[in-house]
Amino acid sequence: MESTVSTDATPSPNIVLIVADDMGYSDIGCFGSEISTPNLNAMAARGMRLSQFYNGARCCPSRAALLTGLYAQQAGIGHMAETGTESLRGYVGHLNGHCVTIAEALRAAGYRTGMVGKWHVGGRAPWSEGELDLRDVVHPLDRGFEEFWGTLIGAGSYYAPRSLMSGRDRIDSDVSSGVFEEFYYTDEIGRRSAEMIERMAATGEPFFAYVAHVAPHWPLHALEEDIELMDQSYGVGWSNLRQERHERLRELGVLERSWTIAKNDAVSEWDSAGDKAWEEARMRVYAAQVYALDRAVGRVLESLERAGVADDTVVIFLSDNGGCAEELGTEGSEPLRRLRTSRGDTVLAGNRQGLVPGSDATYMSYGRSWANASNSPFRMYKHWVHEGGISTPFVVQWPRVIPPGSINHDSAHLVDVMATCLDLAGAVYPRQFGGEAIVPLEGQSLRAVFEGRDTARVGAIFWEHEGNRAVRLGELKLVSLHGRPWELYRMDRDRTETDDVSLLYGHSVRQMESLWLDWARRAYVEPWEVVEKQLTAWWT
């Protein structure tokens, strides 16, 4: 596709990178959702959607790849920040010394850098007497950010999140201080991101703002007024919702009409749901979380307008993995049973039918069947590397450069974001940093894509998470579940992975398996059985 607009932009545009957490491919309006997301829809109308952009299937590995331009194992987070082991280079559980972050690279090029939200790439934060020990956690201020407000660890309460910090100061230690009165994390991320952007813009220097959300990751926490606005009747059930979204994705031109909807195992029939009112309530709260996320995006966009820098700023929005199928047991896990509200009340943790989700006294997830709708029309979920686990809605705006309302169907990956930022900023990826040799950059710049020029990806894209493996080369994708044989799919004809052609194209299977094995060796990927034995126990 050739550009029909001018590419006469500032030599060093500002860059705002917004990340959603556990949000499925079809959860926003411009990617087929019924949920109201006017700000993201407006971004898509002003800019571009990438229909085949990929993440790393899990939150902290994805965020490590996003921030460094390397695959997660190369950056040290092949599994989770909570379960790292120093005995395996690819699985130490925190950003290692052999990578640089976007913030470090852009700061060296004269950019101001700031972060708001969820870090979750800094290592393990063990519990001790009900408190989190953060002494050994790698901090955002250690990795190129000049300012930080947010949480160091992963999921938690939206009303009183643990490990909330301003800079290096812990601000959540005394919940009786009133810091969490009228507090909702998604709104606070939006407000503080807007304030940070306006401060950085006032300096007149280019800036990089990393806005890292927790929403809509469990727990199902949403403001009552937002839940009341979710007037969509989810009584149609998850299968019908999945089908409706699939049809809208086709109508929007995001997906090919010939791609049939995938069938996922272990998704129950709506008619057999035990408590339909409770199931509907779970999805309404999830939808309200997405709605609040969009509102936070709107605050960021408004701040760029107020600061007079909207035309000179590239804004990128994506999700760190597909919709999450995890069910929180009826009593929750042992750590969840320790949780208290900011008032000191016991949290009723776990997915308990009949208990209304949404408040700070609950801690639930929306489960596999609704996640199946979120990932419409693809196979599988977060954790897995079939399309439902690794496909993200990607929206980018860059006024005067990106052809408005455009859709690009080339494949791309999180590792490309670093390369893109460097290209936009005219910055250099270092061979050494902080006295350490740096792993060569894996990604490829998307600037030509943003400018509407014809491009062709060079080489393959790779995945591994918990033994689930995949490689995409052109229009072929080789993929396997942990311990299962390879499957091969023609992505131009069958992106929903319904027709395995591995028996017809044995040569391609062998060729692509060889590529994957070569990548795994150089990327410090270990067999999952080896990793699992050495990982430290989560929360202990």
Side-chain angles (χ1 to χ4, degrees), residues 216-238:
H217 193 296
W218 50 258
L220 294 174
H221 282 172
L223 299 175
E224 187 174 345
E225 55 266 34
D226 288 343
I227 299 171
E228 291 175 353
L229 290 173
M230 301 300 102
D231 56 2
Q232 161 75 21
S233 174
Y234 289 109
V236 298
W238 36 68

Side-chain angles (χ1 to χ4, degrees), residues 30-159:
C30 53
F31 275 79
S33 181
E34 74 294 335
I35 302 170
S36 176
T37 55
N39 295 296
L40 288 165
N41 296 352
M43 270 187 66
R46 289 190 295 265
M48 177 182 288
R49 283 164 287 176
L50 272 60
S51 70
Q52 299 198 51
F53 193 91
Y54 289 115
N55 53 51
R58 192 82 176 269
C59 46
C60 25
S62 282
R63 290 171 191 239
L66 174 67
L67 284 168
T68 66
L70 304 176
Y71 289 102
Q73 290 86 351
Q74 293 170 308
I77 309 183
H79 190 242
M80 297 288 286
E82 293 86 353
T83 58
T85 170
E86 295 292 336
S87 62
L88 297 175
R89 174 168 170 167
Y91 302 85
V92 295
H94 57 80
L95 295 180
N96 61 32
H98 301 287
C99 64
V100 293
T101 67
I102 297 172
E104 288 169 325
L106 294 191
R107 192 170 176 183
Y111 271 65
R112 307 302 301 269
T113 60
M115 176 185 171
V116 174
K118 169 181 170 177
W119 180 233
H120 206 200
V121 290
R124 214 165 149 253
W127 282 83
S128 176
E129 300 299 325
E131 286 292 316
L132 288 167
D133 184 354
L134 303 177
R135 288 173 297 179
D136 296 326
V137 174
V138 177
H139 194 280
L141 299 185
D142 299 327
R143 299 308 307 248
F145 290 100
E146 295 175 274
E147 60 176 290
F148 168 68
W149 183 94
T151 44
L152 296 181
I153 62 173
S157 172
Y158 285 66
Y159 302 104

Side-chain angles (χ1 to χ4, degrees), residues 255-267:
L255 298 183
E256 293 287 343
R257 288 193 170 273
S258 61
W259 295 342
T260 59
I261 196 165
K263 303 297 183 184
N264 278 316
D265 296 335
V267 174

